[in-house]
Each structure stands twice: as structure tokens, then as C-alpha cells.
Amino acid sequence: MAETRLESAAVPAEKLVALQQKYAQDLTLLCTAYAEGKGLPQAKDKRFSGPEWNGFYGFAAALYLLNERYLMQMAESVEADVKTRERVRFAIQYWVEAMSPANFLATNPEAQHNLLETNGKSLRSGILNMLGDLSKGKVSQTD
């Protein structure tokens, strides 16, 4: 059996400490602003641009975007060969995008609003799409 050699990949300690410190500062500012009702940073991401993304949902989106930014910065800080760096970046980006609050009914106020407006038809349609994908053995993609 052929042995696969894994390349070494790490974030240098000084970069990691700097990222952690800056993250802690930004997280503290975000939480303080939310707790004091001072308003949240305006999301430039189209997934969170609807008017429903305010209050708790706006905070969830801002927290997600903060985490996304720092996870991607950490991925960019990995010191490794080019192929390993690309794999790390891809895996982190894929995981981060999958965890977006816009992807889940419980954390997406636009989807909840649509659910109520359509008397549940949007949820039914989504479930039917999912069942269709499962029967094909693959997930369909949209823009």
C-alpha cells in the first residue's frame, strides 16, 4: 500500500496571536454595540441586505460575517505548500458559506417572512425540491 505524505501546514504563532487579539476586540465592539442598541455594522453582503435582517437577526448576520472574515484571514495565514494552502482555503470557505444564517429557516428572517406570506407554500416547495434532489442523488444548484 502506498503511503501518503501529508505536508505540514500551520499558522505562525505571532500571526495567530495577532488575529486572536483583533478578533476579540472586534467581537467586543460588536457585542457592546448590540447590547447598548447602538446599531450594527451595515452588512454589504446581499444575503443580509433585506429589511428583515435587523435586531437579533442583524446581530447573527454581523457575527457570522465577523467569524467569516477572521476564519478566512486565518486560512490565508497558513504557511504550507501551494496545494495545501489552496485546500485549506477551499475547505474553510466551503464550510463558512454552508454555515451562513441565510441557509437555515430558524435564522433567516426573509425565509420566515416568505413562509408566512405564502401560508407555508414556500416551505412545501423547498421540501419538494429537496426530495427531488435526493431522488436524483445530487443537489441542484442555483445562483
Side-chain angles (χ1 to χ4, degrees):
M1 178 182 266
E3 186 176 317
T4 303
R5 182 172 180 255
L6 295 176
E7 295 296 325
S8 165
V11 176
E14 64 278 357
K15 284 185 181 179
L16 184 59
V17 168
L19 281 170
Q20 288 172 333
Q21 289 174 341
K22 182 68 173 124
Y23 175 82
Q25 290 171 354
D26 288 350
L27 179 60
T28 300
L29 289 173
L30 177 64
C31 291
T32 301
Y34 179 68
E36 294 176 355
K38 291 182 180 177
L40 297 166
Q42 189 65 29
K44 295 176 180 131
D45 189 308
K46 70 177 183 173
R47 295 173 291 181
F48 311 117
S49 62
E52 295 89 355
W53 288 97
N54 59 37
F56 167 77
Y57 297 109
F59 176 73
L63 182 59
Y64 164 78
L65 292 170
L66 175 72
N67 288 323
E68 175 187 47
R69 185 171 73 240
Y70 279 96
L71 284 168
M72 291 309 298
Q73 286 178 5
M74 196 177 305
E76 293 295 327
S77 298
V78 168
E79 290 185 354
D81 63 278
V82 174
K83 190 172 186 176
T84 301
R85 284 175 51 97
E86 288 174 0
R87 286 179 176 172
V88 168
R89 260 194 310 270
F90 174 80
I92 297 297
Q93 184 162 3
Y94 188 79
W95 182 80
V96 166
E97 288 176 4
M99 293 297 104
S100 169
N103 292 339
F104 302 96
L105 180 60
T107 55
N108 185 331
E110 290 175 300
Q112 293 171 15
H113 179 78
N114 196 25
L115 174 70
L116 295 174
E117 289 293 313
T118 64
N119 292 319
K121 290 178 185 171
S122 63
L123 180 60
R124 181 181 185 277
S125 175
I127 290 171
L128 290 175
N129 287 337
M130 180 188 71
L131 292 173
D133 286 348
L134 290 173
S135 70
K136 291 186 265 180
K138 64 178 182 172
V139 176
S140 302
Q141 293 185 352
T142 64
D143 291 343

